[in-house]
Amino acid sequence: MRTCRGFVLALSLLAALSACGVTAPRGNEGYADLDALPGPDADTTIDISLGPTLLGLAARLVDDDPATRALLQSLRGVRIKVYEIEEDSQGVASELDRMGAELEQEGWERVIQVREQQGKTTQMLVKISGDKVAGLTVLATDSVAVTLVNVLGPLQPEMFGRAIAALDAP
């Protein structure tokens, strides 16, 4: 009986935290389904989901950079998944291409695609809503890992220059 009560309490707490913005909201138009990748050749090593509450707390900690503070306050969520590739990196790269194509079918627009000789690929897609960018998704892989990033919220075009520079993409 005590174990059951603890389980119910934990589920209630998780539901309350999800509702108050601790995790990235699925209902947001900038949300991208990043759960379709796992297969026999990829193991999740990192799975992070931050909602507006935690991003707002992080914004309060940024004292010396008003632009970063404003960005963190405007975001609705940030999701990051990293998968370690065990064997078939080409198969996983194909799955990543399939994910990008599915996102395009859901209204995402591919703005960058980089393919390098060593099997490294990077795709950046944006979701446009009206005249604003509602979300940004980056799908990247190399021979050892896949990194998926989904940023939800109104993004300004000038942020893309900074994002591209941070990725060190050509």
Side-chain angles (χ1 to χ4, degrees):
M1 179 72 166
R2 185 177 188 120
T3 304
C4 184
R5 237 184 289 158
F7 180 70
V8 170
L9 181 62
L11 281 179
S12 299
L13 181 61
L14 182 61
L17 288 175
S18 295
C20 73
V22 173
T23 62
R26 283 186 173 270
N28 187 285
E29 59 192 332
Y31 184 90
D33 182 10
L34 303 179
D35 297 326
L37 182 70
D41 295 318
D43 290 326
T44 306
T45 56
I46 297 175
D47 190 350
I48 299 171
S49 179
L50 304 174
T53 301
L54 290 177
L55 291 168
L57 289 171
R60 289 188 200 127
L61 299 175
V62 179
D63 293 331
D64 58 344
D65 190 349
T68 300
R69 182 181 320 120
L71 171 64
L72 289 171
Q73 289 172 335
S74 72
L75 295 179
R76 307 311 311 149
V78 175
R79 300 171 53 239
I80 302 168
K81 289 185 175 265
V82 178
Y83 297 93
E84 186 176 293
I85 300 172
E86 293 179 6
E87 293 178 19
D88 184 16
S89 61
Q90 289 294 49
V92 173
S94 295
E95 278 296 300
L96 207 63
D97 287 341
R98 183 193 55 76
M99 277 183 79
E102 284 181 9
L103 288 171
E104 286 180 304
Q105 289 176 352
E106 295 170 10
W108 289 79
E109 297 179 31
R110 190 181 317 250
V111 292
I112 294 176
Q113 181 159 340
V114 178
R115 293 189 187 276
E116 297 181 35
Q117 291 179 347
Q118 298 82 16
K120 293 181 181 181
T121 65
T122 302
Q123 301 174 49
M124 185 166 85
L125 300 101
V126 295
K127 181 79 173 251
I128 306 294
S129 176
D131 61 347
K132 297 188 181 206
V133 177
L136 167 76
T137 297
V138 176
L139 312 173
T141 186
D142 60 22
S143 62
V144 296
V146 173
T147 303
L148 310 174
V149 178
N150 179 217
V151 180
L152 297 71
L155 301 169
Q156 305 301 319
E158 59 268 11
M159 289 186 237
F160 296 127
R162 285 184 244 147
I164 293 168
L167 289 172
D168 196 27

